[in-house]
Amino acid sequence: LNPRTSAANKTLPLAICIFIVIATLVVYWQVQNHEFLNYDDTEYVTGNLVVKTGLTGAGIFWIFTESYAANWHPVTLLSHMLDVELYGLNPSGHHLTSLLFHIANSLLLFGVLLKMTGAPWQSGLVATLFALHPLNVESVAWIAERKNVLSTFFWFLTMWAYVDYVNKRGIRNYLPVLLFLVLGLMAKAMLITLPFVLLMLDFWPLGRWGGLQKNAGNNDPIKNIKFSLLIWEKIPFLIIAMGFGITIYRLAKEGGALREIEAYSLSTRVSNAVVSYVTYLGKTFWPTKLSVFYPHPGNSLPVWKITVCAALLMLITFWVIKLIKTAPYLAFGWFWFLGTLAPVIQIVQGGSHAMADRFTYVALIGIFIMVAWGLPELLAKWRLGDKALTVLAGVGLPILMIMTWMQVSHWKNSITIFEHAIKVTDKEYSNFAIAHNNLGHALIADGQNKEAIAQYRMAIKLKPDLVKAHFNLGHALTAEGRNEDAIAQYRMAIKLKPNYVAAQFNLAHALFTAGKTQASIFQYKRVIKLQPDLAGAHNNLGHALLADGKAEEAISHFMRAIKLQPDYALARQNLKLALLQSEKEDGKSARTSLQAEPSNSE
């Protein structure tokens, strides 16, 4: 692994690309047998009526003109719509698209680093680590995280276009940089830090900071450029990024995605951020106990842990600054890591999680650069350095592939991913109840009602005010014929969230099933008051009224249900029965209830 001898090998870049493609396919191909998850996949694909219709003019207009899920990412939704157009709702095709984007990202990363530095071995190592690291599995194996792999695709295209602009400055080469930046931001707002990364590229490896650092690549160094000019070049990028950042923040706040900010003080969020930075570092070099959900510790972080983590971050920062002239790649990689993680380090708290593997998809590149350029320099001082590098690569990469393959296997379905999360994560935090709730939802969908009930009860034990856990437990108890217990859970869900229509609806259903017809009628009327256009509520109210001998009133509700939903076969059947003053037994099947609900990642 000697970069000085490998540079002359013209076939080396092609060989590295082939290796990256084959190795990535080996560890990730199993996603072809994976399913949609009940964790955000519903929101983005399977439960999104616009996406499920495929590519339509009305749908495309909607995604570009309306916000969705407290966000605005039309390019991402467009990619999901295209997948539906190509594969329908077969998850295999959706997974394949995400995998192809990950492979393309790995190749683009290799290409742009090689283009800037002329160092194929180091560039290849960074791209290989990016392609095969277990922390990146979440972004690739989770269909809802299409926004991550897609936005990163445009991130690397922006960098590529920027290098072209640096080599030949002019408006013709400047505009593609703007275009790719905008497209990336329309996939995910993570690109708001990219203008600062471009400025760092001017320092290393492009060497444009007024001769402070020579170009480390094989391009001629561009010297004596005033720093102010480099800033002026980035002003349009900064304006665009800031505009997107402000817009996304406003949408998230209005959509309730930032409500957890009120749950944690600023000092608590900063403390969590400091510890999370170091935790990410630890998982980079020892990627174990990876979870789809890391519960927020709240105020329970010990002072010693916060202090040690802060000291370590400052120590590394001082170290890379001290070596900034002799080893500029260390400062570049470190500040890449710190900076690109900053928007998602949870100081601006989004969701109830402390951190997430998907947040490191771009950020880890900085650490990989530090390793890829720093390790050969360190071992070059040792007589057996080249052999040591070869052994490290020969042993380390297969181990990394095995670990990643195993991590991908946990993403097979909703049961496997949440069972794994519960297995590897500390469970004393109340907000980890979300994992038990979603596992319960997956189990009940698989027909494992008793197992689901146990998970819902654990969720409630951890977080007694988790509304969806009470609702879902009620649903599972109803399926087991335990209507009285189900009624108690629905009432608790309504107590916690009075306008929870689904809980009101299912409570009415449980009351009727338990033989409490009058109470059921009263409850269905409450549902209709909350949501007058719910056809199922009118049908079920009509059925309860018919059972109570109030045929005339029942007829009016059956007719209302049919007016709201003309193809409502059960309502038409019940109307016919009511008009014929038939016996109520034939209408017993006309009962409907709403399904259990997972919790989203926000």
Side-chain angles (χ1 to χ4, degrees), residues 483-488 491 507-524 544 547-548 591:
N483 290 301
E484 292 296 336
D485 292 337
I487 288 169
R491 290 195 187 281
L507 172 59
H509 167 69
L511 288 167
F512 183 86
T513 305
K516 301 178 180 181
T517 306
Q518 292 289 339
S520 174
I521 291 171
F522 175 79
Q523 187 61 39
Y524 275 126
D548 199 41
R591 311 298 299 155

Side-chain angles (χ1 to χ4, degrees), residues 66-96:
E66 299 289 339
S67 62
Y68 181 74
N71 211 326
W72 187 70
H73 32 46
V75 171
T76 294
L77 292 178
L78 187 63
S79 76
H80 286 306
M81 292 169 69
L82 181 58
D83 274 1
V84 172
E85 193 71 26
L86 294 173
Y87 315 116
L89 291 178
N90 180 358
S92 177
H94 296 257
H95 281 297
L96 177 61

Side-chain angles (χ1 to χ4, degrees), residues 1 3-4 109-127 129 201 204-205 213 215-218 319 326-333 365-380 389:
L1 291 174
R4 290 181 287 275
L109 176 59
F110 171 63
V112 75
L113 286 175
L114 181 61
K115 189 174 184 178
M116 291 189 293
T117 68
W121 282 115
Q122 289 95 326
S123 302
L125 179 57
V126 172
L129 291 173
L201 289 176
W204 187 90
Q213 155 60 24
N215 192 316
N218 56 3
W319 174 61
T326 57
Y329 48 81
L330 294 176
F332 174 84
I365 295 170
I367 305 301
F368 297 155
I369 287 173
M370 295 174 73
V371 171
W373 265 267
L375 196 59
E377 289 292 329
L378 179 64
L379 294 178
L389 279 173

Side-chain angles (χ1 to χ4, degrees), residues 40-56 59-85 94 143-144 146-147 150 183 186-188:
D40 284 2
D41 283 355
T42 306
E43 187 169 30
Y44 283 96
V45 183
T46 57
N48 188 320
L49 296 178
V50 175
V51 169
K52 285 169 64 176
T53 59
L55 287 174
T56 64
I60 294 172
F61 178 80
W62 183 85
I63 64 173
F64 277 94
T65 57
E66 299 289 339
S67 62
Y68 181 74
N71 211 326
W72 187 70
H73 32 46
V75 171
T76 294
L77 292 178
L78 187 63
S79 76
H80 286 306
M81 292 169 69
L82 181 58
D83 274 1
V84 172
E85 193 71 26
H94 296 257
I143 291 172
R146 171 69 54 76
K147 53 184 177 288
L150 183 58
L183 289 173
M186 292 168 70
K188 187 178 181 180

